[in-house]
Structure formats: structure tokens, C-alpha cells
Amino acid sequence: MRVILDNIVGCAWYEVIPSPAYKNLTDEQASAALNLARQIATESVSLHAINQCSKKWRNKQLKLEF
């Protein structure tokens, strides 16, 4: 849910959407979240890639792979 919400608003979701998010999404945000979830489920969007975006917006250290 974090990854989807962060990616529909372009930052850490709680900076834009009051908590709890599921009660405070606009119709447009809910529709965008559903669309993105469907794209993840059908693998037309990389969950790994959008998770990296989410981590970047949250200033989380990215895992280094050797």
C-alpha cells in the first residue's frame, strides 16, 4: 500500500493524504491507486522500480547488491 500511495502522489503519501489513507483518498486518488495496483498485478509496472522511487522520497538507504 505504501508503494502505491507514494507513487500516486509523488512523495511520501502522508505528506498529502491525512491518515488513515483509506478513509481520506479522493475519488481520483482511489482510482489511480486501483489502476496502479492492477498494473502491478499484471506486471506491466515493475513493483521493484516503483518501490525504489518510494524509498527515495522517504530518504531510505537503497540496498546495495554486489
Tab-separated table of all heavy atoms in Angstrom:
chain	number	residue	atom	x	y	z
A	1	MET	N	0.826	-1.185	0.000
A	1	MET	CA	0.000	0.000	0.000
A	1	MET	C	0.878	1.260	0.000
A	1	MET	O	0.585	2.210	-0.706
A	1	MET	CB	-0.919	-0.053	1.222
A	1	MET	CG	-1.964	0.983	1.184
A	1	MET	SD	-3.105	0.679	-0.155
A	1	MET	CE	-4.578	1.275	0.531
A	2	ARG	N	1.961	1.249	0.779
A	2	ARG	CA	2.861	2.402	0.839
A	2	ARG	C	3.389	2.748	-0.543
A	2	ARG	O	3.387	3.910	-0.953
A	2	ARG	CB	4.041	2.106	1.783
A	2	ARG	CG	5.197	3.088	1.627
A	2	ARG	CD	6.460	2.664	2.366
A	2	ARG	NE	6.983	1.367	2.055
A	2	ARG	CZ	7.780	1.076	1.025
A	2	ARG	NH1	8.136	2.024	0.157
A	2	ARG	NH2	8.226	-0.136	0.830
A	3	VAL	N	3.839	1.732	-1.259
A	3	VAL	CA	4.432	1.955	-2.578
A	3	VAL	C	3.409	2.558	-3.535
A	3	VAL	O	3.699	3.522	-4.241
A	3	VAL	CB	5.010	0.634	-3.136
A	3	VAL	CG1	5.502	0.810	-4.554
A	3	VAL	CG2	6.121	0.121	-2.238
A	4	ILE	N	2.216	2.013	-3.523
A	4	ILE	CA	1.167	2.523	-4.410
A	4	ILE	C	0.808	3.956	-4.050
A	4	ILE	O	0.772	4.835	-4.904
A	4	ILE	CB	-0.071	1.607	-4.374
A	4	ILE	CG1	0.259	0.272	-5.034
A	4	ILE	CG2	-1.265	2.277	-5.047
A	4	ILE	CD1	-0.815	-0.782	-4.899
A	5	LEU	N	0.547	4.208	-2.781
A	5	LEU	CA	0.153	5.558	-2.374
A	5	LEU	C	1.250	6.577	-2.649
A	5	LEU	O	0.972	7.672	-3.149
A	5	LEU	CB	-0.234	5.575	-0.896
A	5	LEU	CG	-1.518	4.825	-0.551
A	5	LEU	CD1	-1.729	4.811	0.967
A	5	LEU	CD2	-2.722	5.411	-1.255
A	6	ASP	N	2.491	6.230	-2.323
A	6	ASP	CA	3.598	7.154	-2.598
A	6	ASP	C	3.675	7.488	-4.085
A	6	ASP	O	3.884	8.639	-4.464
A	6	ASP	CB	4.933	6.561	-2.148
A	6	ASP	CG	5.144	6.599	-0.646
A	6	ASP	OD1	4.258	7.077	0.091
A	6	ASP	OD2	6.219	6.130	-0.200
A	7	ASN	N	3.490	6.486	-4.924
A	7	ASN	CA	3.620	6.701	-6.366
A	7	ASN	C	2.451	7.440	-6.977
A	7	ASN	O	2.617	8.105	-8.004
A	7	ASN	CB	3.895	5.378	-7.076
A	7	ASN	CG	5.358	5.022	-6.996
A	7	ASN	OD1	6.148	5.431	-7.834
A	7	ASN	ND2	5.731	4.286	-5.962
A	8	ILE	N	1.284	7.384	-6.379
A	8	ILE	CA	0.175	8.154	-6.959
A	8	ILE	C	0.250	9.625	-6.582
A	8	ILE	O	-0.275	10.465	-7.299
A	8	ILE	CB	-1.216	7.568	-6.622
A	8	ILE	CG1	-1.522	7.628	-5.145
A	8	ILE	CG2	-1.360	6.168	-7.179
A	8	ILE	CD1	-2.991	7.355	-4.809
A	9	VAL	N	0.939	9.949	-5.466
A	9	VAL	CA	1.054	11.362	-5.084
A	9	VAL	C	2.443	11.942	-5.343
A	9	VAL	O	2.628	13.146	-5.296
A	9	VAL	CB	0.641	11.608	-3.607
A	9	VAL	CG1	-0.811	11.264	-3.392
A	9	VAL	CG2	1.524	10.865	-2.634
A	10	GLY	N	3.443	11.090	-5.611
A	10	GLY	CA	4.776	11.573	-5.961
A	10	GLY	C	5.638	11.983	-4.789
A	10	GLY	O	6.600	12.729	-4.964
A	11	CYS	N	5.304	11.499	-3.605
A	11	CYS	CA	6.089	11.746	-2.403
A	11	CYS	C	5.580	10.786	-1.328
A	11	CYS	O	4.749	9.938	-1.612
A	11	CYS	CB	5.957	13.205	-1.944
A	11	CYS	SG	4.274	13.715	-1.527
A	12	ALA	N	6.078	10.932	-0.100
A	12	ALA	CA	5.535	10.111	0.987
A	12	ALA	C	4.057	10.474	1.139
A	12	ALA	O	3.706	11.636	1.321
A	12	ALA	CB	6.296	10.363	2.279
A	13	TRP	N	3.192	9.490	1.018
A	13	TRP	CA	1.743	9.744	0.940
A	13	TRP	C	1.219	10.574	2.094
A	13	TRP	O	0.326	11.387	1.916
A	13	TRP	CB	0.957	8.434	0.816
A	13	TRP	CG	0.991	7.554	2.032
A	13	TRP	CD1	1.848	6.522	2.262
A	13	TRP	CD2	0.151	7.633	3.180
A	13	TRP	NE1	1.594	5.955	3.480
A	13	TRP	CE2	0.557	6.618	4.067
A	13	TRP	CE3	-0.898	8.465	3.553
A	13	TRP	CZ2	-0.057	6.410	5.302
A	13	TRP	CZ3	-1.516	8.257	4.789
A	13	TRP	CH2	-1.090	7.239	5.642
A	14	TYR	N	1.762	10.397	3.296
A	14	TYR	CA	1.239	11.102	4.469
A	14	TYR	C	1.529	12.604	4.436
A	14	TYR	O	0.995	13.353	5.252
A	14	TYR	CB	1.761	10.474	5.763
A	14	TYR	CG	3.259	10.267	5.792
A	14	TYR	CD1	4.131	11.316	6.019
A	14	TYR	CD2	3.794	9.002	5.566
A	14	TYR	CE1	5.491	11.127	6.031
A	14	TYR	CE2	5.157	8.797	5.578
A	14	TYR	CZ	6.006	9.866	5.823
A	14	TYR	OH	7.366	9.672	5.822
A	15	GLU	N	2.349	13.052	3.474
A	15	GLU	CA	2.565	14.482	3.297
A	15	GLU	C	1.398	15.133	2.555
A	15	GLU	O	1.253	16.355	2.572
A	15	GLU	CB	3.863	14.733	2.527
A	15	GLU	CG	5.100	14.314	3.293
A	15	GLU	CD	6.381	14.495	2.489
A	15	GLU	OE1	6.344	15.103	1.399
A	15	GLU	OE2	7.427	14.022	2.967
A	16	VAL	N	0.574	14.309	1.894
A	16	VAL	CA	-0.517	14.807	1.062
A	16	VAL	C	-1.882	14.323	1.557
A	16	VAL	O	-2.860	15.070	1.520
A	16	VAL	CB	-0.314	14.357	-0.411
A	16	VAL	CG1	-1.458	14.793	-1.291
A	16	VAL	CG2	1.017	14.875	-0.950
A	17	ILE	N	-1.938	13.082	2.014
A	17	ILE	CA	-3.198	12.450	2.393
A	17	ILE	C	-3.237	12.272	3.908
A	17	ILE	O	-2.336	11.657	4.477
A	17	ILE	CB	-3.339	11.070	1.713
A	17	ILE	CG1	-3.210	11.196	0.190
A	17	ILE	CG2	-4.655	10.406	2.105
A	17	ILE	CD1	-3.038	9.871	-0.535
A	18	PRO	N	-4.266	12.780	4.573
A	18	PRO	CA	-4.373	12.559	6.018
A	18	PRO	C	-4.541	11.065	6.327
A	18	PRO	O	-5.094	10.310	5.533
A	18	PRO	CB	-5.631	13.333	6.415
A	18	PRO	CG	-5.908	14.267	5.284
A	18	PRO	CD	-5.347	13.619	4.057
A	19	SER	N	-4.051	10.671	7.483
A	19	SER	CA	-4.182	9.288	7.926
A	19	SER	C	-5.532	9.083	8.612
A	19	SER	O	-6.010	9.997	9.283
A	19	SER	CB	-3.036	8.982	8.904
A	19	SER	OG	-3.005	7.621	9.215
A	20	PRO	N	-6.146	7.948	8.459
A	20	PRO	CA	-5.782	6.808	7.639
A	20	PRO	C	-6.109	7.073	6.171
A	20	PRO	O	-7.166	7.602	5.837
A	20	PRO	CB	-6.625	5.660	8.194
A	20	PRO	CG	-7.844	6.314	8.755
A	20	PRO	CD	-7.381	7.669	9.238
A	21	ALA	N	-5.183	6.693	5.328
A	21	ALA	CA	-5.304	6.996	3.900
A	21	ALA	C	-6.560	6.402	3.286
A	21	ALA	O	-7.226	7.064	2.488
A	21	ALA	CB	-4.063	6.493	3.159
A	22	TYR	N	-6.911	5.184	3.657
A	22	TYR	CA	-8.059	4.545	3.001
A	22	TYR	C	-9.363	5.296	3.248
A	22	TYR	O	-10.294	5.195	2.459
A	22	TYR	CB	-8.196	3.077	3.424
A	22	TYR	CG	-8.691	2.860	4.833
A	22	TYR	CD1	-10.044	2.675	5.085
A	22	TYR	CD2	-7.809	2.833	5.905
A	22	TYR	CE1	-10.508	2.482	6.376
A	22	TYR	CE2	-8.258	2.629	7.193
A	22	TYR	CZ	-9.614	2.451	7.430
A	22	TYR	OH	-10.060	2.262	8.708
A	23	LYS	N	-9.413	6.093	4.300
A	23	LYS	CA	-10.621	6.880	4.574
A	23	LYS	C	-10.555	8.275	3.957
A	23	LYS	O	-11.563	8.960	3.875
A	23	LYS	CB	-10.835	7.030	6.079
A	23	LYS	CG	-11.292	5.783	6.766
A	23	LYS	CD	-11.608	6.074	8.216
A	23	LYS	CE	-12.145	4.844	8.914
A	23	LYS	NZ	-12.495	5.144	10.316
A	24	ASN	N	-9.374	8.698	3.556
A	24	ASN	CA	-9.185	10.077	3.119
A	24	ASN	C	-8.763	10.256	1.668
A	24	ASN	O	-8.474	11.373	1.247
A	24	ASN	CB	-8.167	10.757	4.052
A	24	ASN	CG	-8.713	10.901	5.444
A	24	ASN	OD1	-9.715	11.575	5.658
A	24	ASN	ND2	-8.080	10.250	6.409
A	25	LEU	N	-8.729	9.169	0.906
A	25	LEU	CA	-8.403	9.291	-0.518
A	25	LEU	C	-9.530	10.007	-1.255
A	25	LEU	O	-10.706	9.763	-0.979
A	25	LEU	CB	-8.236	7.910	-1.145
A	25	LEU	CG	-7.028	7.082	-0.745
A	25	LEU	CD1	-7.130	5.691	-1.351
A	25	LEU	CD2	-5.755	7.746	-1.175
A	26	THR	N	-9.166	10.854	-2.188
A	26	THR	CA	-10.169	11.417	-3.085
A	26	THR	C	-10.578	10.313	-4.066
A	26	THR	O	-9.888	9.286	-4.184
A	26	THR	CB	-9.614	12.612	-3.879
A	26	THR	OG1	-8.571	12.137	-4.747
A	26	THR	CG2	-9.077	13.705	-2.962
A	27	ASP	N	-11.666	10.524	-4.769
A	27	ASP	CA	-12.078	9.542	-5.779
A	27	ASP	C	-10.991	9.372	-6.836
A	27	ASP	O	-10.716	8.253	-7.281
A	27	ASP	CB	-13.385	9.967	-6.449
A	27	ASP	CG	-14.591	9.844	-5.529
A	27	ASP	OD1	-14.505	9.126	-4.503
A	27	ASP	OD2	-15.630	10.459	-5.829
A	28	GLU	N	-10.364	10.469	-7.210
A	28	GLU	CA	-9.295	10.419	-8.210
A	28	GLU	C	-8.099	9.620	-7.700
A	28	GLU	O	-7.521	8.804	-8.426
A	28	GLU	CB	-8.851	11.836	-8.574
A	28	GLU	CG	-7.802	11.890	-9.653
A	28	GLU	CD	-7.438	13.314	-10.022
A	28	GLU	OE1	-8.216	13.952	-10.742
A	28	GLU	OE2	-6.373	13.775	-9.557
A	29	GLN	N	-7.705	9.836	-6.443
A	29	GLN	CA	-6.581	9.098	-5.866
A	29	GLN	C	-6.913	7.612	-5.735
A	29	GLN	O	-6.064	6.761	-6.018
A	29	GLN	CB	-6.211	9.674	-4.493
A	29	GLN	CG	-5.581	11.041	-4.562
A	29	GLN	CD	-5.530	11.720	-3.214
A	29	GLN	OE1	-6.357	11.476	-2.328
A	29	GLN	NE2	-4.556	12.607	-3.050
A	30	ALA	N	-8.136	7.291	-5.318
A	30	ALA	CA	-8.542	5.892	-5.190
A	30	ALA	C	-8.517	5.206	-6.553
A	30	ALA	O	-8.058	4.062	-6.675
A	30	ALA	CB	-9.929	5.794	-4.561
A	31	SER	N	-8.973	5.898	-7.572
A	31	SER	CA	-8.967	5.345	-8.925
A	31	SER	C	-7.536	5.126	-9.413
A	31	SER	O	-7.222	4.085	-10.004
A	31	SER	CB	-9.711	6.287	-9.867
A	31	SER	OG	-9.703	5.791	-11.174
A	32	ALA	N	-6.666	6.084	-9.147
A	32	ALA	CA	-5.260	5.954	-9.548
A	32	ALA	C	-4.591	4.800	-8.802
A	32	ALA	O	-3.799	4.048	-9.386
A	32	ALA	CB	-4.511	7.259	-9.283
A	33	ALA	N	-4.907	4.631	-7.524
A	33	ALA	CA	-4.343	3.540	-6.735
A	33	ALA	C	-4.802	2.193	-7.285
A	33	ALA	O	-4.005	1.260	-7.421
A	33	ALA	CB	-4.732	3.685	-5.269
A	34	LEU	N	-6.072	2.086	-7.603
A	34	LEU	CA	-6.603	0.849	-8.167
A	34	LEU	C	-5.949	0.540	-9.505
A	34	LEU	O	-5.547	-0.602	-9.771
A	34	LEU	CB	-8.120	0.946	-8.327
A	34	LEU	CG	-8.811	-0.273	-8.931
A	34	LEU	CD1	-8.573	-1.515	-8.098
A	34	LEU	CD2	-10.307	0.005	-9.073
A	35	ASN	N	-5.805	1.542	-10.341
A	35	ASN	CA	-5.169	1.358	-11.645
A	35	ASN	C	-3.718	0.890	-11.490
A	35	ASN	O	-3.280	-0.039	-12.174
A	35	ASN	CB	-5.237	2.655	-12.451
A	35	ASN	CG	-4.703	2.491	-13.854
A	35	ASN	OD1	-4.988	1.506	-14.520
A	35	ASN	ND2	-3.915	3.457	-14.302
A	36	LEU	N	-2.980	1.513	-10.576
A	36	LEU	CA	-1.585	1.126	-10.363
A	36	LEU	C	-1.502	-0.287	-9.790
A	36	LEU	O	-0.638	-1.076	-10.197
A	36	LEU	CB	-0.880	2.133	-9.454
A	36	LEU	CG	0.610	1.907	-9.215
A	36	LEU	CD1	1.389	1.785	-10.524
A	36	LEU	CD2	1.175	3.033	-8.350
A	37	ALA	N	-2.388	-0.630	-8.871
A	37	ALA	CA	-2.407	-1.994	-8.313
A	37	ALA	C	-2.654	-3.022	-9.416
A	37	ALA	O	-2.020	-4.084	-9.445
A	37	ALA	CB	-3.472	-2.101	-7.229
A	38	ARG	N	-3.553	-2.712	-10.328
A	38	ARG	CA	-3.811	-3.623	-11.453
A	38	ARG	C	-2.581	-3.755	-12.351
A	38	ARG	O	-2.271	-4.847	-12.842
A	38	ARG	CB	-5.006	-3.129	-12.261
A	38	ARG	CG	-6.323	-3.363	-11.565
A	38	ARG	CD	-7.488	-2.884	-12.386
A	38	ARG	NE	-8.744	-3.238	-11.738
A	38	ARG	CZ	-9.853	-2.542	-11.850
A	38	ARG	NH1	-9.885	-1.456	-12.600
A	38	ARG	NH2	-10.945	-2.931	-11.226
A	39	GLN	N	-1.888	-2.648	-12.574
A	39	GLN	CA	-0.682	-2.689	-13.404
A	39	GLN	C	0.406	-3.530	-12.738
A	39	GLN	O	1.130	-4.263	-13.408
A	39	GLN	CB	-0.169	-1.280	-13.671
A	39	GLN	CG	-1.057	-0.490	-14.589
A	39	GLN	CD	-0.582	0.943	-14.760
A	39	GLN	OE1	0.181	1.462	-13.949
A	39	GLN	NE2	-1.030	1.585	-15.818
A	40	ILE	N	0.512	-3.447	-11.420
A	40	ILE	CA	1.480	-4.271	-10.689
A	40	ILE	C	1.087	-5.746	-10.814
A	40	ILE	O	1.931	-6.607	-11.070
A	40	ILE	CB	1.553	-3.851	-9.210
A	40	ILE	CG1	2.158	-2.449	-9.085
A	40	ILE	CG2	2.361	-4.857	-8.390
A	40	ILE	CD1	1.973	-1.812	-7.715
A	41	ALA	N	-0.197	-6.038	-10.634
A	41	ALA	CA	-0.683	-7.417	-10.692
A	41	ALA	C	-0.448	-8.054	-12.052
A	41	ALA	O	-0.165	-9.256	-12.148
A	41	ALA	CB	-2.160	-7.475	-10.328
A	42	THR	N	-0.549	-7.268	-13.107
A	42	THR	CA	-0.345	-7.808	-14.461
A	42	THR	C	1.112	-7.648	-14.919
A	42	THR	O	1.429	-7.962	-16.066
A	42	THR	CB	-1.272	-7.118	-15.481
A	42	THR	OG1	-0.976	-5.716	-15.516
A	42	THR	CG2	-2.726	-7.360	-15.142
A	43	GLU	N	1.944	-7.143	-14.031
A	43	GLU	CA	3.368	-6.938	-14.282
A	43	GLU	C	3.656	-5.971	-15.421
A	43	GLU	O	4.705	-6.027	-16.052
A	43	GLU	CB	4.075	-8.280	-14.510
A	43	GLU	CG	4.001	-9.188	-13.299
A	43	GLU	CD	4.709	-10.515	-13.490
A	43	GLU	OE1	5.174	-10.807	-14.611
A	43	GLU	OE2	4.781	-11.266	-12.503
A	44	SER	N	2.729	-5.046	-15.675
A	44	SER	CA	3.006	-4.007	-16.676
A	44	SER	C	3.744	-2.830	-16.038
A	44	SER	O	4.229	-1.947	-16.745
A	44	SER	CB	1.718	-3.544	-17.365
A	44	SER	OG	0.793	-3.047	-16.439
A	45	VAL	N	3.848	-2.845	-14.709
A	45	VAL	CA	4.661	-1.884	-13.959
A	45	VAL	C	5.535	-2.705	-13.008
A	45	VAL	O	5.061	-3.661	-12.385
A	45	VAL	CB	3.776	-0.907	-13.153
A	45	VAL	CG1	4.592	-0.092	-12.175
A	45	VAL	CG2	3.007	0.013	-14.079
A	46	SER	N	6.794	-2.337	-12.895
A	46	SER	CA	7.717	-3.047	-12.011
A	46	SER	C	7.541	-2.589	-10.567
A	46	SER	O	7.791	-1.423	-10.246
A	46	SER	CB	9.161	-2.796	-12.455
A	46	SER	OG	10.063	-3.235	-11.464
A	47	LEU	N	7.110	-3.512	-9.720
A	47	LEU	CA	6.983	-3.199	-8.301
A	47	LEU	C	8.334	-2.798	-7.717
A	47	LEU	O	8.431	-1.866	-6.922
A	47	LEU	CB	6.401	-4.392	-7.541
A	47	LEU	CG	6.223	-4.216	-6.037
A	47	LEU	CD1	5.336	-3.018	-5.717
A	47	LEU	CD2	5.652	-5.486	-5.421
A	48	HIS	N	9.379	-3.473	-8.146
A	48	HIS	CA	10.720	-3.136	-7.665
A	48	HIS	C	11.072	-1.684	-8.009
A	48	HIS	O	11.570	-0.942	-7.159
A	48	HIS	CB	11.760	-4.079	-8.275
A	48	HIS	CG	13.164	-3.728	-7.917
A	48	HIS	ND1	13.704	-3.949	-6.675
A	48	HIS	CD2	14.136	-3.117	-8.642
A	48	HIS	CE1	14.951	-3.503	-6.646
A	48	HIS	NE2	15.234	-2.994	-7.827
A	49	ALA	N	10.797	-1.278	-9.219
A	49	ALA	CA	11.141	0.086	-9.656
A	49	ALA	C	10.349	1.134	-8.886
A	49	ALA	O	10.921	2.145	-8.446
A	49	ALA	CB	10.897	0.237	-11.151
A	50	ILE	N	9.049	0.919	-8.715
A	50	ILE	CA	8.275	1.941	-8.009
A	50	ILE	C	8.557	1.920	-6.504
A	50	ILE	O	8.419	2.940	-5.833
A	50	ILE	CB	6.768	1.882	-8.331
A	50	ILE	CG1	6.122	0.587	-7.878
A	50	ILE	CG2	6.531	2.130	-9.811
A	50	ILE	CD1	4.604	0.558	-8.050
A	51	ASN	N	9.000	0.765	-5.973
A	51	ASN	CA	9.431	0.722	-4.581
A	51	ASN	C	10.690	1.560	-4.390
A	51	ASN	O	10.845	2.242	-3.374
A	51	ASN	CB	9.665	-0.714	-4.122
A	51	ASN	CG	9.988	-0.806	-2.654
A	51	ASN	OD1	9.356	-0.159	-1.823
A	51	ASN	ND2	10.973	-1.619	-2.320
A	52	GLN	N	11.585	1.524	-5.363
A	52	GLN	CA	12.799	2.339	-5.284
A	52	GLN	C	12.451	3.827	-5.253
A	52	GLN	O	13.061	4.600	-4.510
A	52	GLN	CB	13.746	2.015	-6.448
A	52	GLN	CG	14.273	0.599	-6.446
A	52	GLN	CD	14.915	0.184	-5.137
A	52	GLN	OE1	15.765	0.885	-4.597
A	52	GLN	NE2	14.493	-0.953	-4.620
A	53	CYS	N	11.465	4.233	-6.039
A	53	CYS	CA	11.007	5.626	-6.013
A	53	CYS	C	10.468	5.977	-4.630
A	53	CYS	O	10.788	7.033	-4.078
A	53	CYS	CB	9.920	5.859	-7.063
A	53	CYS	SG	10.471	5.765	-8.756
A	54	SER	N	9.665	5.098	-4.084
A	54	SER	CA	9.084	5.329	-2.762
A	54	SER	C	10.174	5.488	-1.714
A	54	SER	O	10.124	6.400	-0.877
A	54	SER	CB	8.151	4.164	-2.393
A	54	SER	OG	7.638	4.304	-1.090
A	55	LYS	N	11.173	4.615	-1.751
A	55	LYS	CA	12.275	4.693	-0.787
A	55	LYS	C	13.054	5.999	-0.949
A	55	LYS	O	13.473	6.617	0.039
A	55	LYS	CB	13.200	3.504	-0.953
A	55	LYS	CG	12.580	2.199	-0.506
A	55	LYS	CD	13.371	1.049	-1.072
A	55	LYS	CE	14.040	0.214	-0.059
A	55	LYS	NZ	14.815	-0.891	-0.641
A	56	LYS	N	13.238	6.419	-2.190
A	56	LYS	CA	13.964	7.671	-2.452
A	56	LYS	C	13.215	8.858	-1.836
A	56	LYS	O	13.806	9.717	-1.207
A	56	LYS	CB	14.134	7.861	-3.958
A	56	LYS	CG	14.874	9.114	-4.349
A	56	LYS	CD	14.982	9.212	-5.862
A	56	LYS	CE	15.537	10.558	-6.268
A	56	LYS	NZ	15.496	10.744	-7.718
A	57	TRP	N	11.887	8.903	-2.042
A	57	TRP	CA	11.104	10.001	-1.481
A	57	TRP	C	11.149	9.996	0.047
A	57	TRP	O	11.000	11.032	0.670
A	57	TRP	CB	9.648	9.915	-1.938
A	57	TRP	CG	9.469	10.188	-3.397
A	57	TRP	CD1	10.094	11.158	-4.127
A	57	TRP	CD2	8.619	9.498	-4.301
A	57	TRP	NE1	9.684	11.103	-5.429
A	57	TRP	CE2	8.771	10.095	-5.568
A	57	TRP	CE3	7.738	8.437	-4.167
A	57	TRP	CZ2	8.074	9.676	-6.685
A	57	TRP	CZ3	7.042	8.012	-5.293
A	57	TRP	CH2	7.216	8.626	-6.527
A	58	ARG	N	11.362	8.841	0.631
A	58	ARG	CA	11.407	8.720	2.084
A	58	ARG	C	12.839	8.748	2.617
A	58	ARG	O	13.070	8.517	3.799
A	58	ARG	CB	10.720	7.420	2.505
A	58	ARG	CG	9.242	7.466	2.235
A	58	ARG	CD	8.624	6.089	2.299
A	58	ARG	NE	7.191	6.168	2.166
A	58	ARG	CZ	6.354	6.256	3.214
A	58	ARG	NH1	6.806	6.234	4.429
A	58	ARG	NH2	5.062	6.347	3.004
A	59	ASN	N	13.791	8.996	1.736
A	59	ASN	CA	15.212	9.059	2.100
A	59	ASN	C	15.706	7.783	2.775
A	59	ASN	O	16.516	7.824	3.685
A	59	ASN	CB	15.501	10.266	2.987
A	59	ASN	CG	15.260	11.569	2.275
A	59	ASN	OD1	15.650	11.718	1.119
A	59	ASN	ND2	14.607	12.495	2.932
A	60	LYS	N	15.179	6.656	2.318
A	60	LYS	CA	15.637	5.373	2.834
A	60	LYS	C	16.866	4.941	2.050
A	60	LYS	O	16.956	5.160	0.844
A	60	LYS	CB	14.566	4.288	2.702
A	60	LYS	CG	13.285	4.609	3.423
A	60	LYS	CD	13.455	4.499	4.906
A	60	LYS	CE	12.130	4.755	5.605
A	60	LYS	NZ	12.215	4.720	7.025
A	61	GLN	N	17.801	4.313	2.744
A	61	GLN	CA	19.004	3.835	2.071
A	61	GLN	C	18.627	2.680	1.156
A	61	GLN	O	17.944	1.748	1.560
A	61	GLN	CB	20.036	3.363	3.086
A	61	GLN	CG	21.333	2.938	2.443
A	61	GLN	CD	22.381	2.579	3.473
A	61	GLN	OE1	22.154	2.718	4.660
A	61	GLN	NE2	23.518	2.138	3.012
A	62	LEU	N	19.075	2.773	-0.069
A	62	LEU	CA	18.811	1.713	-1.028
A	62	LEU	C	19.782	0.555	-0.776
A	62	LEU	O	20.941	0.758	-0.443
A	62	LEU	CB	18.982	2.227	-2.459
A	62	LEU	CG	18.087	3.414	-2.825
A	62	LEU	CD1	18.389	3.869	-4.248
A	62	LEU	CD2	16.625	3.040	-2.695
A	63	LYS	N	19.284	-0.663	-0.920
A	63	LYS	CA	20.103	-1.846	-0.722
A	63	LYS	C	21.131	-1.951	-1.836
A	63	LYS	O	20.788	-1.839	-3.008
A	63	LYS	CB	19.199	-3.076	-0.712
A	63	LYS	CG	19.954	-4.364	-0.515
A	63	LYS	CD	18.971	-5.542	-0.531
A	63	LYS	CE	19.721	-6.845	-0.432
A	63	LYS	NZ	18.817	-7.994	-0.515
A	64	LEU	N	22.359	-2.162	-1.449
A	64	LEU	CA	23.415	-2.339	-2.440
A	64	LEU	C	23.587	-3.813	-2.710
A	64	LEU	O	23.656	-4.632	-1.797
A	64	LEU	CB	24.737	-1.750	-1.925
A	64	LEU	CG	24.730	-0.249	-1.650
A	64	LEU	CD1	26.075	0.173	-1.069
A	64	LEU	CD2	24.460	0.532	-2.924
A	65	GLU	N	23.662	-4.181	-3.961
A	65	GLU	CA	23.862	-5.572	-4.331
A	65	GLU	C	25.218	-5.699	-5.018
A	65	GLU	O	25.565	-4.911	-5.873
A	65	GLU	CB	22.738	-6.032	-5.257
A	65	GLU	CG	21.390	-6.013	-4.565
A	65	GLU	CD	20.277	-6.528	-5.460
A	65	GLU	OE1	20.581	-7.334	-6.358
A	65	GLU	OE2	19.141	-6.129	-5.222
A	66	PHE	N	25.963	-6.707	-4.612
A	66	PHE	CA	27.292	-6.960	-5.186
A	66	PHE	C	27.280	-8.226	-5.973
A	66	PHE	O	26.591	-9.139	-5.766
A	66	PHE	CB	28.355	-7.054	-4.090
A	66	PHE	CG	28.523	-5.755	-3.335
A	66	PHE	CD1	27.801	-5.502	-2.183
A	66	PHE	CD2	29.384	-4.781	-3.816
A	66	PHE	CE1	27.966	-4.332	-1.494
A	66	PHE	CE2	29.534	-3.601	-3.125
A	66	PHE	CZ	28.825	-3.365	-1.966
